[in-house]
């Protein structure tokens, strides 16, 4: 019984640690958006598209490269905030190795 209880507690702890907070950046100043990302390490920002009405946009934004998975790099991105249309933040993107292969490894 102790083993089952311990396993249940560890599962709850792991689920809690893996949770990522979600925010609407258009309800926060740019400085607050950046501070929230810096404090939490990684957050999900969700907001409405300005080009397509009613289309929600979202992504995971990170404080540093350590929050990206293997094969991803931290890249600059911009989100709308309450005080600016383009608040600079970072997200993780997969490295495009195909471009390198097509350019340098193609057969002639």
């Amino acid at each position: 019984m102790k083993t089952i209880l311990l396993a249940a507690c560890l599962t709850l702890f792991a689920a809690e640690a893996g949770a990522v907070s979600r925010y609407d950046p258009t309800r926060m100043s740019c400085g607050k958006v950046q501070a929230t990302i810096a404090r939490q390490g990684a957050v999900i920002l969700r907001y409405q598209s300005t080009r397509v009405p009613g289309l929600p946009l979202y992504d995971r934004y990170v404080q540093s490269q350590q929050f990206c998975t293997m094969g991803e790099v931290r890249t600059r991105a911009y989100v709308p905030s309450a005080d600016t249309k383009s608040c600079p933040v970072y997200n993780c993107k997969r490295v495009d190795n195909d471009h390198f292969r097509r350019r340098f490894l193609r057969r002639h």
Side-chain angles (χ1 to χ4, degrees):
M1 187 65 169
K2 287 182 184 179
T3 306
I4 294 172
L5 184 59
L6 180 61
C9 289
L10 289 175
T11 303
L12 280 173
F13 179 73
E16 188 71 28
V20 177
S21 298
R22 292 166 175 79
Y23 298 95
D24 179 352
T26 62
R27 297 181 185 271
M28 306 161 69
S29 69
C30 182
K32 177 82 171 176
V33 170
Q34 293 169 335
T36 301
I37 295 169
R39 184 177 69 252
Q40 295 190 16
V43 300
I44 294 174
L45 299 178
R46 185 175 188 269
Y47 53 93
Q48 295 296 315
S49 170
T50 56
R51 291 186 223 159
V52 181
L55 177 67
L57 300 176
Y58 62 93
D59 204 348
R60 183 173 170 267
Y61 297 89
V62 298
Q63 184 259 338
S64 68
Q65 179 68 38
Q66 77 181 30
F67 293 95
C68 297
T69 62
M70 186 176 289
E72 293 181 329
V73 294
R74 185 178 83 144
T75 59
R76 171 81 67 186
Y78 297 90
V79 296
S81 65
D83 59 346
T84 182
K85 289 183 180 182
S86 29
C87 179
V89 292
Y90 292 95
N91 61 6
C92 299
K93 295 291 179 191
R94 287 240 167 253
V95 178
D96 182 14
N97 290 328
D98 288 339
H99 175 70
F100 175 80
R101 286 187 194 119
R102 283 192 303 262
R103 186 167 181 191
F104 297 105
L105 300 179
R106 64 182 164 195
R107 295 179 186 217
H108 294 273

